[in-house]
């Protein structure tokens, strides 16, 4: 199999997108990466304009106060990504999306991942941007790679061990025998 320059790992420019970030590019050598648990990453592109981007958000919506915390929320992250795509020549009617994440990693806690997934789906539907592919929910974290100009995505599930850990403590050193008055100096 012959690799195109887009898929050649030796020539790829990796951009890691972490919580609260988004990135947009027209460079065919860029591959965007992220690791998701309950968070969501939306990968949106305009195939005709050759521009695409990824965001990574922690929670669906904030309290409306904005500020520095706004970047953690889906409403802000989605608006930021779409506006950056439009600035780079994308047209809303040609955009397509792929969404990832939204896992439930811990039993007994609220299902933030399901809320994040539902928010992303609703937001994109309301914006008229079709979701052409998605992988959300489940109980595994995901490592996602997105080639924004071609639309290619590779996902790897990451095992999360939620089992209680067996804590091992070192065996205490034996107590010295009763001393005869000798002192050892180190």
């Amino acid at each position: 199999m012959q690799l195109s320059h887009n898929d050649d790992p030796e020539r790829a420019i990796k951009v890691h997108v972490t919580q609260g970030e988004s990135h947009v590019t027209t460079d065919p050598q860029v591959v965007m990466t992220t690791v998701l648990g309950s968070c969501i990453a939306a990968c949106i592109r305009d195939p005709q304009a050759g521009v695409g981007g990824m965001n990574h958000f922690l929670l669906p919506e904030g309290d409306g106060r904005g500020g520095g915390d706004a970047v953690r929320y889906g409403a802000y992250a989605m608006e930021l990504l779409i506006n950056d795509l439009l600035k780079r020549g994308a047209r809303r009617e040609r955009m397509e999306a792929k969404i990832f994440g939204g896992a439930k990693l811990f039993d007994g806690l609220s299902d933030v991942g399901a809320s994040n997934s539902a928010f992303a789906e609703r937001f994109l539907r309301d914006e008229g941007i079709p979701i052409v592919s998605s992988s959300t929910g489940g109980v595994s974290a995901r490592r996602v790679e997105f080639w924004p100009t071609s639309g290619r995505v590779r996902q790897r599930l990451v095992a999360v061990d939620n089992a209680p850990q067996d804590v091992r403590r070192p065996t205490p050193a034996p107590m010295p025998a009763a001393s005869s008055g000798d002192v050892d100096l180190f």
Side-chain angles (χ1 to χ4, degrees):
M1 177 175 112
Q2 187 175 15
L3 296 173
S4 72
H5 72 282
N6 290 9
D7 300 333
D8 183 354
E10 296 297 317
R11 296 184 58 186
I13 301 168
K14 289 194 176 190
V15 175
H16 191 70
V17 180
T18 61
Q19 285 180 6
E21 293 182 343
S22 73
H23 188 77
V24 171
T25 189
T26 57
D27 187 341
Q29 292 182 348
V30 168
V31 58
M32 296 176 189
T33 66
T34 197
V35 178
L36 305 162
S38 61
C39 294
I40 290 286
C43 302
I44 303 176
R45 74 184 195 112
D46 176 340
Q48 247 181 352
V51 61
M54 173 192 278
N55 65 19
H56 180 151
F57 65 86
L58 181 64
L59 298 166
E61 299 180 83
D63 57 13
R65 287 187 277 168
D69 284 343
V71 298
R72 297 176 6 176
Y73 298 108
Y76 179 83
M78 296 299 277
E79 288 290 341
L80 185 65
L81 178 57
I82 291 168
N83 288 336
D84 284 350
L85 288 163
L86 292 170
K87 288 176 190 172
R88 295 278 189 103
R91 304 246 331 246
R92 189 177 301 270
E93 65 272 11
R94 296 188 310 231
M95 288 184 193
E96 60 184 33
K98 297 178 181 185
I99 59 173
F100 301 90
K104 183 174 184 181
L105 300 180
F106 302 101
D107 286 336
L109 299 177
S110 66
D111 195 350
V112 175
S115 298
N116 283 339
S117 297
F119 168 80
E121 291 168 9
R122 185 176 59 253
F123 186 96
L124 291 164
R125 182 183 62 244
D126 292 349
E127 292 292 318
I129 300 172
I131 298 172
V132 297
S133 178
S134 70
S135 175
T136 60
V139 294
S140 295
R142 294 162 170 84
R143 184 176 309 275
V144 177
E145 296 176 306
F146 174 56
W147 287 259
T149 60
S150 72
R152 178 177 170 226
V153 176
R154 180 170 47 204
Q155 170 189 270
R156 293 184 185 124
L157 295 180
V158 178
V160 177
D161 184 9
N162 295 329
Q165 299 294 315
D166 181 21
V167 178
R168 298 188 188 271
R169 292 188 169 75
T171 307
M175 293 298 291
S179 126
S180 61
D182 295 333
V183 175
D184 291 332
L185 300 175
F186 299 96

